[in-house]
Amino acid sequence: MIHPFVMPVLSSTMTEGKIVAWLKQVGDYVKAHENIVVVESDKSDMEAESFQEGYLAAILLPAGAQAPTGTPIALIADTVEEMQQVQQNPEKYLAELQGETASSAATPVATETPRPAAAVSRATNGRVIASPRAKKLAKEHQVDLRQIQGSGPYGRITAEDVLKVVAPQTATPAAPVTPVPRTPEKTPLVLEGGTLTPLNTLQQAVVRNMVASLAVPVFRVTYAITTDALDALYRQIKGKGVTMTALLAKAVALTLANHPLLNSRYTEQGIYQPEGIHIAVAVAMEDGGLITPVLANPHQQDIYSLSRTWQDLVQRARAKQLQPHEYNSGTFTLSNLGMFGVEQFDAILPPNQGAILAVGAAQPEVVALEDGCIAVRRRMRVTLTCDHRVIYGAHAAAFLQDLAKLIETNAQSLVL
């Protein structure tokens, strides 16, 4: 029997992928669950495994080429004889497989049709096929994977499948995607009066997210925070590898612990409040676009461990080596342009989150003290963008007030 190996879905926002490298060659024997190809998804390079055991009979998509998810990119044969037959005319077998898919899709049904044997969520020996992230989520929420029908290639259970069972409201309809003209390897197109550089997969993912955010009613609140105490603490411990990002992330997480609504998000079924506080921090990529590595529960870590974790995440993010749960599990986002001298800006709310905090640079200002004296203090302006379906102005103001109180009067607690 001949089995198609399709472009895998490696993240909830991935609609197409690019072949980085094949780990197996035509003629090689492939074991079930063995990695055979490296795929560039919308935000990282990841190895993809085969769910079929057999011989790699044909590679339909070479390294450097792109294809939508679900498109056959290789053929796997059960026997050597079938592999040899495929190699004589791979187009014929691909056409037959595509013809079977088209004919089954065209058959009208009154109720949901069971998946074919090749696409169920468990192998013939009863073993459940699930991603590592899906297994972790299932364990955390005590969900039986055997009761979940996978949506991944060959019925593989993804993290999104588990989340739909844990909280069905987490599934958010994807925004319509307008195809973007492009050529392989992001080759600039010479046009009259200039050039056109096609978007890479990361930039396309950012575009889709930004378009989806336009449907959300948001409001913004700006607050000025005095940072003298925070700056003094940073000067004291930065020689030990502590980063300002880690300090801000921990301050935000500690404040969110007392304002859980700011860590929630809207769904059609109601307001979903996650158990953890996971701070996503926007990082610009050298080849365009941005990614948001996630610091999981920073309020529960000491600042030195948290800083090491952050530095590792940034290094792997820029090398495109993050796992999906390391960039798509954030419950609140932090965007900091203060290092560029930007005094104040508004951030766009990410999909499936209730709020994002934009942090500007700390600047010396002349301020009037409570006793009527004049003094110079360093102050940074932060702007909170909120989903008004979940968060109201009073909630946002109370959060910012407590965040300012923590940074201004109790900055030393961030070390613990």
Side-chain angles (χ1 to χ4, degrees):
M1 185 174 180
I2 310 301
H3 309 276
F5 177 80
V6 301
M7 178 66 73
V9 179
L10 302 178
S11 73
S12 60
T13 59
M14 179 179 173
T15 59
E16 69 175 10
K18 175 182 176 181
I19 302 298
V20 176
W22 284 97
L23 304 178
K24 291 287 186 176
Q25 304 298 320
V26 172
D28 289 348
Y29 184 76
V30 177
K31 298 179 182 178
H33 309 293
E34 182 178 10
N35 292 327
I36 66 172
V37 66
V38 178
V39 174
E40 179 189 81
S41 68
D42 48 6
K43 294 184 179 179
S44 64
D45 293 347
M46 298 184 62
E47 296 180 348
E49 61 181 335
S50 169
F51 297 103
Q52 297 292 338
E53 185 173 356
Y55 296 89
L56 185 57
I59 291 178
L60 306 176
L61 200 68
Q66 294 177 277
T69 54
T71 301
I73 59 176
L75 299 176
I76 296 177
D78 288 340
T79 65
V80 174
E81 292 75 14
E82 290 175 333
M83 177 186 68
Q84 293 172 343
Q85 293 174 4
V86 169
Q87 291 175 352
Q88 292 176 4
N89 191 355
E91 292 79 8
K92 170 188 174 184
Y93 287 89
L94 176 61
E96 291 177 355
L97 289 170
Q98 292 176 331
E100 293 174 2
T101 303
S103 61
S104 60
T107 303
V109 290
T111 58
E112 182 178 353
T113 304
R115 292 190 174 198
V120 296
S121 61
R122 45 196 56 81
T124 55
N125 61 1
R127 180 174 180 268
V128 174
I129 302 174
S131 69
R133 175 63 174 167
K135 294 177 181 178
K136 181 179 179 181
L137 286 171
K139 183 177 180 181
E140 290 177 353
H141 297 282
Q142 298 181 345
V143 174
D144 186 357
L145 288 173
R146 292 173 297 180
Q147 304 302 317
I148 300 177
Q149 185 172 6
S151 62
Y154 298 100
R156 187 188 196 198
I157 299 173
T158 66
E160 292 297 321
D161 296 327
V162 179
L163 289 174
K164 289 177 183 178
V165 174
V166 174
Q169 62 268 34
T170 58
T172 302
V177 178
T178 302
V180 180
R182 61 186 177 276
T183 56
E185 300 299 332
K186 201 179 175 184
T187 303
L189 304 177
V190 179
L191 303 177
E192 182 179 356
T195 60
L196 173 66
T197 302
L199 301 178
N200 59 30
T201 51
L202 175 57
Q203 291 170 319
Q204 293 175 44
V206 173
V207 169
R208 289 192 296 270
N209 287 341
M210 296 305 98
V211 170
S213 71
L214 294 177
V216 179
V218 299
F219 69 95
R220 299 171 178 85
V221 179
T222 300
Y223 204 100
I225 301 176
T226 301
T227 63
D228 292 84
L230 180 66
D231 294 336
L233 173 64
Y234 179 58
R235 289 193 299 269
Q236 177 185 347
I237 61 179
K238 69 177 182 179
K240 299 179 181 180
V242 174
T243 67
M244 181 57 76
T245 296
L247 286 168
L248 291 172
K250 186 167 183 178
V252 167
L254 285 169
T255 309
L256 285 173
N258 296 320
H259 297 268
L261 191 63
L262 273 291
N263 195 51
S264 305
R265 68 173 180 267
Y266 170 84
T267 71
E268 293 183 355
Q269 290 75 26
I271 298 175
Y272 175 73
Q273 181 178 322
E275 294 180 355
I277 298 175
H278 307 314
I279 306 300
V281 185
V283 173
M285 301 292 284
E286 295 180 357
D287 59 348
L290 58 83
I291 193 169
T292 53
V294 176
L295 287 167
N297 294 310
H299 59 305
Q300 298 175 354
Q301 303 180 48
D302 67 84
I303 197 62
Y304 304 104
S305 299
L306 188 62
S307 294
R308 288 192 295 269
T309 299
W310 173 244
Q311 291 168 352
D312 173 66
L313 285 171
V314 171
Q315 182 179 5
R316 290 190 292 115
R318 289 176 173 160
K320 304 184 73 174
Q321 294 177 350
L322 291 181
Q323 296 297 309
H325 71 275
E326 293 178 312
Y327 61 76
N328 65 10
S329 59
T331 59
F332 185 99
T333 297
L334 187 64
S335 181
N336 183 8
L337 292 181
M339 70 284 290
F340 298 105
V342 175
E343 296 184 8
Q344 181 180 334
F345 70 102
D346 298 336
I348 298 176
L349 185 69
N352 296 322
Q353 290 187 24
I356 179 173
L357 187 68
V359 180
Q363 303 284 353
E365 296 182 9
V366 177
V367 298
L369 304 181
E370 293 183 359
D371 59 4
C373 297
I374 301 298
V376 176
R377 297 286 188 267
R378 290 181 60 84
R379 308 180 82 191
M380 71 176 181
R381 282 172 170 74
V382 297
T383 300
L384 185 68
T385 301
C386 304
D387 184 343
H388 212 330
R389 298 171 298 182
V390 179
I391 303 163
Y392 298 154
H395 302 138
F399 167 81
L400 291 175
Q401 189 176 48
D402 284 353
L403 176 63
K405 183 178 179 181
L406 172 62
I407 291 175
E408 293 174 352
T409 66
N410 197 21
Q412 288 292 334
S413 65
L414 299 178
V415 178
L416 305 177

